[in-house]
Amino acid sequence: MLALLQNIRVVLVNTSHPGNIGGAARAMKNMGLSQLVLVDPMDFPSGDAVARASGATDILDAAQVVGTLEEALVGCSLVFGTSARERRIPWPLLDPRECAAAVCEQVLQGSEVALVFGREYAGLTNEELQRCQFHVHIPTDPDFSSLNLAAAVQVLAYEVRMAWLVAQNKPTKIAKLEATAIQSSQPVTADELESFYAHLEQALIEIDFLDPAKPRHLMSRLRRLYGRSAISKLEMNILRGILTETVKAARGEHQGRGKTDV
Ligand code: SAH
């Protein structure tokens, strides 16, 4: 999964300050991105870039330097051009979050995408922007809309990482349980049943349903009930999952989390 982030290219066009290249490399590395492409940089390699990269020098060392935006985009199926101004030319416009969702969707399918950033003083030309299928604008105060180049890279890289983390957790708890247990709908073994009973007993004590000082016959009645059911491994995993979540809820460890998406 992590490897898929390497399908995201950060393209910096005609950057004038090498420090910004270093800052962008650092922002990328923080968020797990690694592919940096520099289109005709004014001053690179540079000590200022290394200094601002602050340890992300591997990204700088591996950076690809090319002469034109066209070369930088070879192999990319989707290109996002960033712009400090909201409507330079009428074009499909996304905010960084929408962009990140689209980026993740693409890379999860194995495609390569590019995030293109412009010059410090002039941004991207109209011609360059028209090479991008989507434009991305970070919703800033319109009276002061231009971020530092490396800061803009940081915002997009962060959103990509958040979208990627969400995508990673997509297989819901129940789906994960099924993935591991559905192949094995065999009945549980006696030892698995024993550890389930121990878990059940501990959970019932924890939620104050069972008083260990006065257990009566609760556990043996429950053993009889579950013993009749010919529980499969999958069903056992579900029951164990319910117990774990019940105990967590009783301990107040669920902080407003939504229900499992069954
Ligand atoms: N004077 C330029 C600003 C360029 S800032 C202009 O008006 O276009 C350098 C680069 O940082 C931009 O080309 C863009 O890639 C990125 N950037 C800065 N602010 C941004 C914003 N609010 N939204 C999206 N990208 C931004």
Side-chain angles (χ1 to χ4, degrees), residues 82-85 117-121 123 136 138 140 145-147 152:
T82 55
S83 170
R85 274 168 276 167
F117 296 85
R119 300 154 186 86
E120 289 91 333
Y121 296 108
V136 184
I138 300 164
T140 40
S145 67
S146 173
L147 274 79

Side-chain angles (χ1 to χ4, degrees), residues 116-153:
V116 185
F117 296 85
R119 300 154 186 86
E120 289 91 333
Y121 296 108
L124 294 167
T125 64
N126 284 344
E127 199 197 349
E128 287 162 345
L129 279 167
Q130 283 171 20
R131 285 191 178 271
C132 309
Q133 283 99 326
F134 290 97
H135 293 169
V136 184
H137 175 71
I138 300 164
T140 40
D141 186 322
D143 295 334
F144 196 65
S145 67
S146 173
L147 274 79
N148 164 264
L149 172 60
V153 172

